Amino acid sequence: MTPRHRALLLSTGAVAVFVGAIIGASATGVVERNEPKAEVGSCDAYSGLPSEDGQTTGMKFIPAGSFAMGSERHQPEERFIHSASVDGFWIDRHEVTNAQFKRFVEATGYVTLAERPVDPKSHPDWSKAMLVPGSVVFVTPKNAKGADGRWWQYAPGANWRQPQGPGSSIAGKDNHPVINIAYDDALAYAQWMGRSLPTESQWEFAARGGRDGEDDWSSAFDPEGKPIANTWQGIFPMLNTKDDGYAETAPVGCFPPNGYGLYDMIGNVWEWTSDWYKAGHSEVATTNPAGPELVSLRVAPGQTPSRVIKGGSYLCSMNYCSRYRPAARQPQENDLSAAHLGFRTVLNKPGP
């Protein structure tokens, strides 16, 4: 039985029993195990800041083409499969890093949403704690009773510089993807670079790496079920075996690139796209689709509209999320940042 088959088995009703057994095996709820060590490669040596030798530095050109966008085998919001065509475009080979974002902030004085004071009048339903600048972070439950969805917590003071809140830092993580970035933050960086954020169709086309057809997990696992992307191995949210070598974000480029030479399109961190989120796709063939118009979305009073995020993250496991596929998609509130969310940019200009 491969690791993938074992994970699928545990993602059924056996999960609760398995987690209970883990907690019962240790008074602290921690399983003793040897820590895997990540292989030393180019990702560890990379500074996170490409040399400046042109507008397309650090980018890869994706030739124009058509593909079957969406999936009908997995989640309902990914339906329906339809033909989508995109013009050629440039896209970052890896997620924007802490070093790159730091250069932007130092050059412009930009302040991210997670660092700005919150206007109580704009968010009358927010608690006092959430009116303090901050971001949403993952916190491992201390016991099985906490495994009920409360692993996401708003952390006052958390931002791209302090990913887990006051006392944390990005020291030594120049080449890790920048996180706790809201949509407007990602857009501001992209515009400073003379670029934009990818549409969902551009992102999915690039993530497929030249392959077409029905979606699968081959971007996250090899045929033997071993991880080839930074995801969660084990039982979320209690046990991460870290078979891929990482418990949280990994430096960019540590895992094999896809067919287009792009790194971490699957796993590591979710990535913003420019499309407004609406569950499902049209069945009609499209050319350079840019998502639905905001006015067409049904947004409840006081609710923030959402954008499409893609790719899954280091928190996606077989028994939770499992959206580490090119067609997978989720909504993310436009003005909310999180510790598993980053971005990359595109440049819409002819290729070499």
Side-chain angles (χ1 to χ4, degrees):
M1 181 181 292
T2 68
R4 182 185 300 187
H5 291 147
R6 287 196 294 271
L8 284 171
L9 175 63
L10 291 170
S11 68
T12 63
V15 172
V17 175
F18 187 80
V19 171
I22 291 172
I23 300 304
S26 169
T28 62
V30 177
V31 177
E32 297 296 330
R33 59 178 294 110
N34 294 324
E35 292 293 327
K37 295 182 179 179
E39 294 182 9
V40 176
S42 61
C43 65
D44 299 291
Y46 176 52
S47 69
L49 197 61
S51 60
E52 296 187 46
D53 57 7
Q55 191 179 16
T56 58
T57 297
M59 305 187 90
K60 184 78 172 181
F61 182 71
I62 309 300
S66 300
F67 70 108
M69 185 175 179
S71 174
E72 295 179 6
R73 230 172 40 183
H74 297 280
Q75 305 296 333
E77 70 272 10
E78 300 165 17
R79 303 169 187 161
F80 293 93
I81 293 179
H82 65 288
S83 176
S85 300
V86 294
D87 294 336
F89 61 97
W90 296 83
I91 187 169
D92 289 330
R93 295 191 66 182
H94 59 70
E95 296 144 338
V96 173
T97 64
N98 286 316
Q100 291 172 302
F101 197 78
K102 180 180 179 181
R103 181 176 64 178
F104 158 62
V105 170
E106 290 178 343
T108 64
Y110 183 83
V111 178
T112 63
L113 265 66
E115 300 171 282
R116 301 177 195 174
V118 182
D119 181 3
K121 296 180 181 179
S122 300
H123 301 280
D125 298 329
W126 282 18
S127 66
K128 289 185 178 180
M130 290 189 67
L131 291 176
V132 178
S135 189
V136 177
V137 303
F138 171 79
V139 178
T140 304
K142 295 181 179 179
N143 53 56
K145 292 181 180 179
D148 58 0
R150 291 196 294 261
W151 46 80
W152 283 115
Q153 297 181 15
Y154 185 81
N159 53 58
W160 74 275
R161 305 173 195 268
Q162 302 180 120
Q164 299 300 317
S168 63
S169 84
I170 55 173
K173 293 185 175 182
D174 278 357
N175 56 345
H176 282 241
V178 65
I179 55 176
N180 294 322
I181 297 297
Y183 180 82
D184 284 353
D185 304 328
L187 182 61
Y189 174 91
Q191 292 175 338
W192 178 71
M193 292 290 289
R195 304 173 184 173
S196 57
L197 296 179
T199 63
E200 181 178 6
S201 57
Q202 286 179 320
W203 195 100
E204 187 170 329
F205 184 56
R208 288 176 178 269
R211 296 186 310 163
D212 204 357
E214 182 55 87
D215 215 25
D216 60 32
W217 290 337
S218 58
S219 297
F221 303 95
D222 69 13
E224 299 300 318
K226 296 179 181 179
I228 55 174
N230 183 16
T231 62
W232 181 294
Q233 294 84 53
I235 305 302
F236 183 91
M238 301 301 297
L239 173 66
N240 187 352
T241 62
K242 292 173 278 190
D243 292 343
D244 59 13
Y246 299 94
E248 297 178 355
T249 59
V252 297
C254 286
F255 296 89
N258 70 7
Y260 285 140
L262 306 177
Y263 293 93
D264 302 310
M265 292 298 287
I266 299 300
N268 216 13
V269 294
W270 284 96
E271 299 180 21
W272 286 107
T273 75
S274 60
D275 286 20
W276 293 107
Y277 178 84
K278 184 176 182 179
H281 297 291
S282 167
E283 296 181 85
V284 179
T286 54
T287 299
N288 294 323
E293 296 290 336
L294 179 58
V295 295
S296 70
L297 303 180
R298 295 182 178 179
V299 181
Q303 182 180 358
T304 302
S306 296
R307 303 272 182 175
V308 176
I309 58 174
K310 303 278 281 184
S313 77
Y314 64 89
L315 294 173
C316 278
S317 68
M318 286 287 187
N319 71 298
Y320 174 79
C321 174
S322 69
R323 285 175 172 81
Y324 24 60
R325 296 171 289 101
R329 58 203 302 267
Q330 281 199 165
Q332 176 72 14
E333 294 92 337
N334 210 45
D335 60 354
L336 184 64
S337 60
H340 67 337
L341 179 58
F343 70 104
R344 72 181 74 207
T345 68
V346 297
L347 180 63
N348 296 302
K349 65 176 290 184

